[in-house]
Amino acid sequence: MSWRNESSSKAPKREIRFLPALMSIHTQLWRAVFGKPADAIEKSVENADEYMIIDNDPPITRNISVPRDMSQLSCSSFTAGVVEAVLDGLGFPARVTAHNTPTEQYPGRTTILIKLEQSVLDREEALKT
C-alpha cells in the first residue's frame, strides 16, 4: 500500500510516529479494504494508551446475520485483527478489539479499540523532543 499510495518516484516514507500511522490506517487501509475511509478516530479521555477507529456502517457486517443468542459476537473482529497486524508490522504493537456500539442513527456502528503497548508510548514520548 505504501508503494502504491506514494505519489512521487522516491521510496515511501516509513512512519515512526503513531498518529500518522493511525491516520494512514483510517484512510488508506480502510479505503483499500472497504472502499471508503473509516468515519472517525478518537483518543480515549480516560486512558492515554487507547485510541478508537469508528465505522458507522461497516461493510463486513452488512450481509451477516448474527443469531440472537450470539448478540455479543462482533463480526468486525476480523477487521480488528487486520488493524492489529498492520500496527504490529509498522512497529506499533497493540491489542485491538472490536465492539458493537450501535446508536439510533447507526445500528451497525462498530468501534475498533486500540490499546497500545507501553513501549509505543515510551517511544512517542522520546520522539517529542
Side-chain angles (χ1 to χ4, degrees), residues 3-4 14 18 30 37 40-42 44 51 55 58 104 108 128:
W3 284 100
R4 185 176 63 183
R14 182 179 182 273
F18 176 70
W30 237 259
I41 295 177
E42 294 181 8
S44 174
Y51 289 81
D55 197 337
E104 189 173 308
K128 277 186 180 178

Side-chain angles (χ1 to χ4, degrees), residues 5 28 30 33 40 47 73 81 85 88 90 92 96 98 105 128-129:
N5 291 326
Q28 295 172 355
W30 237 259
V33 175
N47 301 310
L73 174 68
D88 189 54
L90 291 172
F92 302 101
V96 182
Q105 187 176 5
K128 277 186 180 178
T129 57

Side-chain angles (χ1 to χ4, degrees), residues 79-89 92-97:
T79 306
V82 170
V83 171
E84 186 170 333
V86 169
L87 285 171
D88 189 54
F92 302 101
R95 174 80 173 118
V96 182
T97 55

Side-chain angles (χ1 to χ4, degrees), residues 4 8 17 20-21 25 27 31 39 42 44 47 50 53 55-56 61 63 65 76 88 93 103 106 109 118 125 127-128:
R4 185 176 63 183
S8 65
R17 301 295 304 262
I25 290 170
T27 54
R31 188 173 286 124
D39 294 302
E42 294 181 8
S44 174
N47 301 310
E50 290 182 351
I53 298 176
D55 197 337
N56 291 329
T61 63
N63 299 312
S65 298
S76 290
D88 189 54
T103 64
Y106 301 108
R109 183 174 185 250
Q118 187 61 41
E125 187 62 33
L127 290 172
K128 277 186 180 178

